[in-house]
């Protein structure tokens, strides 16, 4: 930690910068981590294919994985347009949730009274089932984009807000006391100590929230929408096209996985030290 000629405080990183070897190790570790999942999925898909082929079950009841992929590809334009609508709702709702989580978490961190007042309300908000909230949003705001955005925001707000609040509270008290002894303001302490400390927990919460966002968007569309994977699955279910329902489910899963993995790239850019901290905790 040092003081600039203008009197502004700065904190130097105590850990060494990651080298290229560490990056290579991270990539190989990620591949090794993913291999068991790919193997398990491949085994389950093979069992599914063998069962459908040998049992002669009707495609309306349980289509084979091969049929799901073939029919999904044949209807790729239609599924793609609905997937784009779902992605739009997901990103818009998640952006609203992310903004509110940051604003309220920062306000709560600066006011212990608000922390005691608001955190129990955040927890209580999760006791209301989304199954009850989503239809009400449709009744109140119609079938446009707004009710679906609100549903996604409600689903994803809690984990990110709590992750930030707890991350701010878990900051190193000794570092904060040292800054204050050097004349730092509360805002400077927040910037140099509490904010960096909260980022690792925030990105963990972000990964939870982004997967919930896709599910929330699909459910909101399932309740009422003119486009999106939710309404597409509802229509295909009513037409007994189980293969297309499962194809839409596969696309939904791919969207969730893609958004989940994107958080690691963002974390590497915004808070590269958090990955080193997580590795040190595991070691």
């Amino acid at each position: 930690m040092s003081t600039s000629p203008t009197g502004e405080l700065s904190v130097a990183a105590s850990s060494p910068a990651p080298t290229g070897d560490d990056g290579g190790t991270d990539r190989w570790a990620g591949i090794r981590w993913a291999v068991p999942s790919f193997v398990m999925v491949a085994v389950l898909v093979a069992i599914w294919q063998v069962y459908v082929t040998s049992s002669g079950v009707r495609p309306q009841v349980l289509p084979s994985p091969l049929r799901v992929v073939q029919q999904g590809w044949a209807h790729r334009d239609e599924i793609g347009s609905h997937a784009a609508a779902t992605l739009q709702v997901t990103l818009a709702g998640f952006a609203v949730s992310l903004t509110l989580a940051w604003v309220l978490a920062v306000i709560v961190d600066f006011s212990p009274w608000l922390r005691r007042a608001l955190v129990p309300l955040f927890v209580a908000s999760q006791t209301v089932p989304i199954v009850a909230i989503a239809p009400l949003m449709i009744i109140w705001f119609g079938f446009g984009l707004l009710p679906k955005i609100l549903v996604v925001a409600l689903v994803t707000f809690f984990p990110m807000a709590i992750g930030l609040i707890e991350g701010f509270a878990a900051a190193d008290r000794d570092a904060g006391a040292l800054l204050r002894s050097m004349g730092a303001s509360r805002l400077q302490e927040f910037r140099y100590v509490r904010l960096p400390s909260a980022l690792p927990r925030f990105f963990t919460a972000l990964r939870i929230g982004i997967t919930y966002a896709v599910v929330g968007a699909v459910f909101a569309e399932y309740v009422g929408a003119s486009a999106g994977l939710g309404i597409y699955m509802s229509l295909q279910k009513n037409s007994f096209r189980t293969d297309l329902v499962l194809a839409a489910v596969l696309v939904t899963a791919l969207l969730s996985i893609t958004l989940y993995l994107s958080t690691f790239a963002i974390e590497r850019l915004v808070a590269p030290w958090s990955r080193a901290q997580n590795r040190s905790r595991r070691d």
Side-chain angles (χ1 to χ4, degrees), residues 42-57:
V43 170
L44 292 176
V45 169
I47 293 173
W48 177 6
Q49 180 71 41
V50 170
Y51 171 76
V52 171
T53 303
S54 59
S55 65
V57 63

Side-chain angles (χ1 to χ4, degrees), residues 94-112:
F94 196 68
V96 171
S97 176
L98 190 62
T99 302
L100 288 176
W102 270 97
V103 170
L104 291 177
V106 171
I107 292 174
V108 164
D109 185 64
F110 277 84
S111 173

Side-chain angles (χ1 to χ4, degrees), residues 193-215:
V193 177
R194 302 176 78 84
L195 180 59
S197 174
L199 288 180
R201 294 196 184 198
F202 165 70
F203 278 104
T204 299
L206 184 73
R207 284 187 269 276
I208 297 172
I210 198 65
T211 54
Y212 285 171
V214 179
V215 176

Side-chain angles (χ1 to χ4, degrees), residues 66-76 79 241 243-244:
L66 183 59
R67 180 183 175 88
V68 170
V69 173
Q70 288 174 339
Q71 292 302 310
W73 181 254
H75 295 80
R76 60 187 180 277
I79 295 176
R241 290 301 305 270
D243 48 0
L244 293 180

Side-chain angles (χ1 to χ4, degrees), residues 24 42 148 235 260:
K148 295 186 282 293
L235 294 173
Y260 176 85

